[in-house]
Amino acid sequence: MNRDQKLSLAARVVLCILLAVISFFILGRLLSSPETYSGILQSLDSKVQSVLRLTASSTAVSVGITAIPSDIGTPIAEKLADFSEYGILILCVLYAEKYLMTILGSGVFRFILPAVCVLYALSFFRSKSSFRPILEKIAVVSLALYFVIPLSVHVSDLIYNTYQDSIDSTISAAEDLAEDTALLSEAGEDQGAFQRILNALSESTSSLVDRAGEILNRFIESLAIMIVTSCLIPLLVLSFSVWIINQVMGARFPVPRPRRSLRLRGIRPPGFGGGSDDGDDASA
């Protein structure tokens, strides 16, 4: 190894060690702090509050509708009560994204990337560095997993901000209906008091059911928006990232080649050794 090769080797080793130190002490500390993700966490908290308000208002409307006589609104009340289950699912996804931000930041930049850089530096001292492509793939995959959540939150915000007014109006309409039906629940079995409340509200039983049906349709639309922005888009971003990784750093499997010295005993292919079958026959 000449002097230029030694300098090149030393420069590559120092660069890997420097990257490991920067990743562990600077990026690891910065990207594992919740303050770094204040904008993303604020966006996730906004969606959490929307889900909580949707769940609370749907439950309140469901309880109030059951107070309508003759069980005319019971099917709608049951459908609205089912929204709490979907709300819990969406909340689990949102809270998982919140906590995974700091966990992935700490795990990738404090442990995975420094270890990859150190092992990559050690690979320069081996004559055969077959595991170097594996280290490169580990680094790329870990970085892709880290950027999945910020990218998915940014994409989902574009959709969520477009329909945020619709979701807020749905929650307001549901809260108004919940207040009206709460008065009916207080009337209990007193039909006279029930009718007086309806007269005061300028409502009828059928109009309340119609309002509840409209609220149900708007809740279905709001639920679809929350599922798309909170659950579906992160999965699509993750799938797209995996596809990009496979396209850029796809695994290449070696194709076995037949050995040239392998030859069946007593059988020679035509033209082997510069002759031909006809020539052999002729010479015979």
Side-chain angles (χ1 to χ4, degrees):
M1 182 181 295
N2 55 31
R3 183 173 179 273
D4 293 336
Q5 291 177 341
K6 291 181 179 178
L7 290 176
S8 177
L9 175 62
R12 286 181 289 177
V13 171
V14 170
L15 179 61
C16 290
I17 299 300
L18 182 61
L19 291 176
V21 171
I22 293 175
S23 177
F24 184 84
F25 290 101
I26 299 177
L27 295 178
R29 180 180 301 177
L30 178 64
L31 299 179
S32 61
S33 175
E35 288 77 11
T36 306
Y37 312 102
S38 58
I40 297 176
L41 295 179
Q42 184 178 359
S43 174
L44 293 176
D45 287 336
S46 175
K47 296 176 184 177
V48 167
Q49 294 301 319
S50 296
V51 174
L52 291 176
R53 292 178 62 191
L54 282 171
T55 304
S57 58
S58 65
T59 303
V61 172
S62 175
V63 173
I65 292 175
T66 56
I68 299 177
S70 302
D71 296 333
I72 190 174
T74 301
I76 298 177
E78 292 177 352
K79 292 296 183 181
L80 287 171
D82 293 338
F83 275 89
S84 59
E85 300 178 0
Y86 298 104
I88 292 174
L89 174 63
I90 297 174
L91 286 176
C92 291
V93 175
L94 291 174
Y95 279 114
E97 290 180 355
K98 289 180 62 176
Y99 294 121
L100 281 176
M101 285 297 304
T102 55
I103 293 175
L104 288 176
S106 177
V108 170
F109 292 95
R110 282 194 171 183
F111 299 100
I112 298 179
L113 290 183
V116 167
C117 291
V118 172
L119 292 175
Y120 206 85
L122 294 176
S123 69
F124 293 126
F125 296 97
R126 295 175 56 91
S127 58
K128 295 182 179 180
S129 57
S130 59
F131 64 93
R132 196 178 300 170
I134 300 177
L135 296 176
E136 295 173 356
K137 292 180 180 180
I138 292 175
V140 172
V141 171
S142 60
L143 287 174
L145 290 177
Y146 169 76
F147 285 107
V148 161
I149 295 179
L151 183 59
S152 63
V153 171
H154 177 70
V155 174
S156 63
D157 284 344
L158 298 177
I159 301 176
Y160 179 78
N161 294 333
T162 304
Y163 294 95
Q164 187 173 6
D165 294 337
S166 175
I167 296 175
D168 293 339
S169 63
T170 300
I171 295 174
S172 300
E175 291 175 349
D176 293 339
L177 182 59
E179 292 177 0
D180 295 341
T181 53
L183 297 175
L184 299 177
S185 301
E186 295 175 359
E189 300 295 332
D190 190 351
Q191 296 297 322
F194 186 87
Q195 190 61 42
R196 287 194 298 270
I197 293 174
L198 286 179
N199 294 334
L201 295 174
S202 299
E203 293 279 358
S204 63
T205 302
S206 60
S207 64
L208 284 176
V209 175
D210 292 339
R211 287 177 60 188
E214 182 182 356
I215 291 296
L216 176 61
N217 294 331
R218 296 175 68 175
F219 263 101
I220 293 175
E221 180 183 359
S222 300
L223 179 65
I225 295 171
M226 297 303 300
I227 290 177
V228 169
T229 56
S230 303
C231 303
L232 186 59
I233 287 181
L235 292 178
L236 291 177
V237 172
L238 178 61
S239 301
F240 182 73
S241 301
V242 172
W243 180 79
I244 290 295
I245 292 172
N246 289 333
Q247 295 296 319
V248 176
M249 303 187 66
R252 296 181 180 179
F253 299 97
V255 178
R257 298 180 178 179
R259 291 182 297 178
R260 296 180 179 179
S261 60
L262 183 61
R263 187 173 60 182
L264 295 177
R265 181 179 299 179
I267 299 177
R268 291 189 304 172
F272 183 81
S276 63
D277 292 340
D278 295 338
D280 292 341
D281 294 339
S283 62

